[in-house]
Amino acid sequence: MPFDCERLKALLTGLSLVKDCQRLKDGTIRMATNLRYPNGSFVDIFVHAQGDLGNAGPGLFKGHVLSDMGQTALYLLQLGMEVWATEKRKLAVEDVCKILGVESKRSQLQVKLISDEEGQVADAFLRLAQACIRIADLSYMQRFAAPGMFKEEVAEFLTEAHFRFEPDIVLAGKYDTDVPVDFRVKSRKTSLLRLISGKTTSATHVTANEVFRCWHDLSGFQKANRFITLVDARDRMGLVRGDDAARLAEMSEIVFFPTQERQLASLLAA
């Protein structure tokens, strides 16, 4: 028998989005939904009375709060993605929250309902669940941290920020040696960029030594150019050792990317 609107409505009206509901020891209600994150795990929605969220003093919100208890952020973090670590990711989260009327607070997604809005709990539930799934889907956009892709992300940043730059240039250093530079960025003052990336501290140590030799060999260019060492600070990547950072700081500006992308933009524009 072919489907029609009335038959579909009858079949789907009783569809439940909640497969289990339980009250936790602290009074929070946990609803296990039939909705799934990208890896197949189920989305949980939690309901708190205002008193469960701390001291509900004068002027504070009274009613109920539906939230994911930070589980969406935890899901992404377990994939190696800190969703609030960069401006681009923050804007993506803000766009989702704005469209769906969801609040992002301390890595938690939530919707507030005052007492006389309790009849709107189904709408709030759906909006919050949608936000959880859509923000979790940012994992598909993630270029999971790999040293070879760090350079691509820096190039993308420079392009989107409208800087004029040249990749992979070679300059004549001391002792008639050819010295490779990852990027030359032209602004009020030209900046030379060398990148450090690695999955372990020992790997970044090797690259840090190479970058230090680069800046030393190019010391004749330092008056006319700004030297910038760009350290890969993406999710779960190894950072430079303290002694390596101290040596590099004597020869160049050190910027951790993408966590300090604003500082990098200001430095390049200066």
Side-chain angles (χ1 to χ4, degrees):
M1 178 180 178
F3 282 129
D4 58 32
C5 289
E6 292 304 318
R7 184 162 180 247
L8 282 173
K9 188 186 298 184
L11 289 170
L12 297 177
T13 296
L15 179 65
S16 175
L17 295 178
V18 178
K19 63 177 183 175
D20 187 33
C21 184
Q22 57 182 279
R23 184 178 292 274
L24 306 181
K25 289 183 179 180
D26 65 354
T28 299
I29 296 174
R30 170 184 170 269
M31 292 182 288
T33 78
N34 283 307
L35 304 172
R36 297 174 185 260
Y37 286 116
N39 69 346
S41 61
F42 291 99
V43 175
D44 287 345
I45 300 296
F46 299 84
V47 182
H48 325 259
Q50 174 60 26
D52 296 334
L53 299 179
N55 180 24
L60 296 182
F61 173 76
K62 306 292 196 304
H64 291 84
V65 175
L66 280 70
S67 83
D68 72 338
M69 292 280 283
Q71 291 198 348
T72 304
L74 179 61
Y75 165 79
L76 290 168
L77 190 60
Q78 289 172 339
L79 293 177
M81 183 179 188
E82 295 183 54
V83 72
W84 284 273
T86 69
E87 288 301 312
K88 183 183 291 186
R89 294 176 191 171
K90 287 178 185 176
L91 288 173
V93 171
E94 288 173 6
D95 285 345
V96 171
C97 290
K98 183 177 180 180
I99 291 170
L100 294 171
V102 172
E103 181 183 5
S104 171
K105 185 176 182 181
R106 292 194 291 271
S107 300
Q108 174 174 287
L109 302 174
Q110 63 182 39
V111 177
K112 296 178 179 179
L113 289 176
I114 59 177
S115 298
D116 58 2
E117 292 178 335
E118 291 178 358
Q120 300 176 28
V121 67
D123 176 70
F125 173 94
L126 284 174
R127 287 188 284 114
L128 178 59
Q130 277 186 284
C132 292
I133 295 169
R134 289 183 62 180
I135 290 172
D137 282 345
L138 293 176
S139 61
Y140 291 121
M141 300 168 56
Q142 165 76 339
R143 295 179 177 181
F144 292 104
M149 300 185 74
F150 182 48
K151 193 170 185 177
E152 294 180 27
E153 295 193 18
V154 174
E156 182 180 339
F157 165 78
L158 294 173
T159 300
E160 291 181 353
H162 304 294
F163 285 110
R164 293 183 298 123
F165 68 94
E166 304 168 72
D168 301 317
I169 66 168
V170 177
L171 300 174
K174 290 182 177 180
Y175 321 115
D176 296 322
T177 56
D178 289 338
V179 181
V181 175
D182 293 306
F183 295 99
R184 177 163 57 191
V185 182
K186 295 182 178 180
S187 187
R188 295 178 183 177
K189 184 174 183 178
T190 298
S191 297
L192 303 179
L193 276 62
R194 279 299 307 260
L195 277 50
I196 295 179
S197 181
K199 291 186 177 180
T200 64
T201 304
S202 58
T204 58
H205 172 63
V206 173
T207 309
N209 285 337
E210 178 188 341
V211 172
F212 180 81
R213 285 195 298 270
C214 161
W215 295 140
H216 180 268
D217 289 350
L218 293 178
S219 57
F221 289 79
Q222 199 160 18
K223 287 186 178 180
N225 298 268
R226 180 185 295 107
F227 291 177
I228 300 176
T229 300
L230 212 54
V231 179
D232 186 352
R234 294 173 301 164
D235 312 300
R236 299 184 180 181
M237 298 300 285
L239 298 180
V240 293
R241 293 179 358 184
D243 56 334
D244 288 334
R247 288 195 305 143
L248 288 166
E250 293 178 359
M251 302 291 296
S252 67
E253 301 279 354
I254 298 179
V255 179
F256 294 91
F257 185 88
T259 53
Q260 294 181 329
E261 60 182 27
R262 283 188 177 181
Q263 293 92 317
L264 176 61
S266 298
L267 200 58
L268 293 173

